[in-house]
Amino acid sequence: MSSSDRRSFLALLGALPLAACGFTPVYAPGGPGLEIRDRLALAEPDTRLDFELVSRLEDRLGRTGSAPYRLSYAIETSRSNLAISDADEINRVNIYGTVSYTVTEVATGIQVQTGEVSTFTAYATSASPVSTSAAERDAEDRLMIALADQIVARLISGAGNWS
């Protein structure tokens, strides 16, 4: 058996269990990733963190003004100091974030999916207030991206029940 025949055979053999379990790619035609794209209107952002979250959600889910479903959310963040030097200076800060979200069918007002996601990120402080502020902002942006990606994953996994 030649090398290319062997690879084709092994690829086919590896795909066999996936076909047997009903595996469908998320973004395949008819997949849940495409079923919810452009079908969710997002609540308007009020704060910078809201804007970062909504921006990432729109990148992943599409941007639409009128849609059959509405996604509302609530963001909570907190901070904790991780590393303190001998001189009592804070060297590292964790930012924890939680987003509670609800998908509501616009026509009926029925909640079709709710959930909560959470994660954290960190940043290093420095003697420069400007660089510390920039690092904090970057960490907040990364936090919102991670939370938005978790929301999208949950929406896609639950979309078969309501979309």
Side-chain angles (χ1 to χ4, degrees), residues 68-134:
Y69 300 98
R70 179 165 182 77
L71 176 69
S72 56
Y73 56 87
I75 300 171
E76 293 181 27
T77 60
S78 63
R79 288 167 170 64
S80 69
N81 301 331
L82 285 181
I84 300 176
S85 70
D86 293 336
D88 287 336
E89 295 172 348
I90 300 167
N91 294 331
R92 191 125 181 105
V93 177
N94 259 9
I95 304 175
Y96 301 94
T98 301
V99 177
S100 302
Y101 66 91
T102 303
V103 177
T104 306
E105 188 174 23
V106 174
T108 63
I110 296 173
Q111 291 182 357
V112 294
Q113 185 174 351
T114 61
E116 183 177 280
V117 296
S118 61
T119 191
F120 71 95
T121 190
Y123 66 95
T125 62
S126 68
S128 167
V130 173
S131 60
T132 297
S133 179

Side-chain angles (χ1 to χ4, degrees), residues 1-10:
M1 190 180 271
S2 73
S3 178
S4 65
D5 290 340
R6 208 172 312 149
R7 278 188 234 132
S8 298
F9 175 72
L10 291 174

Side-chain angles (χ1 to χ4, degrees), residues 6-25:
R6 208 172 312 149
R7 278 188 234 132
S8 298
F9 175 72
L10 291 174
L12 181 63
L13 190 62
L16 200 58
L18 294 177
C21 73
F23 172 77
T24 304

